[in-house]
Amino acid sequence: MYLHLGEETVINSKKVLGIFDMDTSTVNKATRDYLEKAEKENQIIYVNFELPKSFVVTDDKIYVSPLNTSTLLKRTRTGVTK
């Protein structure tokens, strides 16, 4: 199954390791450090440049999405990709 993250970005849902809320997750310094390191290593893909609401960690990249975590989670559970 595939997961639509916004705009034209679709990923294989089997590669998803976690879906995180941008506001609550980035309060923790360890998470901010993790994202900063990933940015330096060019592992972050921005779905678009709107206000980010979530980030999706896969086995090889991190996708920053304008969609809420609840929307993304619903899509993974129901099989809805768009």
Side-chain angles (χ1 to χ4, degrees), residues 3 5 17 19 37 45 48 50 55 61 69:
L3 177 61
L5 301 177
L17 301 176
I19 299 173
K37 181 180 181 218
I45 297 173
N48 65 25
E50 292 180 24
F55 62 97
K61 297 284 184 195
T69 55

Side-chain angles (χ1 to χ4, degrees), residues 14-82:
K14 291 181 182 179
K15 292 183 151 206
V16 174
L17 301 176
I19 299 173
F20 303 91
D21 182 83
M22 189 64 80
D23 290 334
T24 58
S25 296
T26 55
V27 171
N28 187 316
K29 184 177 178 341
T31 304
R32 290 193 311 270
D33 291 345
Y34 171 72
L35 292 173
E36 185 178 316
K37 181 180 181 218
E39 179 82 51
K40 288 179 183 176
E41 295 174 355
N42 294 317
Q43 292 180 332
I44 293 187
I45 297 173
Y46 292 91
V47 172
N48 65 25
F49 292 99
E50 292 180 24
L51 181 65
K53 294 182 182 171
S54 63
F55 62 97
V56 179
V57 178
T58 66
D59 55 3
D60 63 343
K61 297 284 184 195
I62 299 171
Y63 295 86
V64 177
S65 174
L67 300 178
N68 289 322
T69 55
S70 60
T71 300
L72 294 173
L73 289 171
K74 284 179 192 174
R75 290 178 180 186
T76 63
R77 291 182 185 132
T78 63
V80 176
T81 59
K82 280 194 177 183

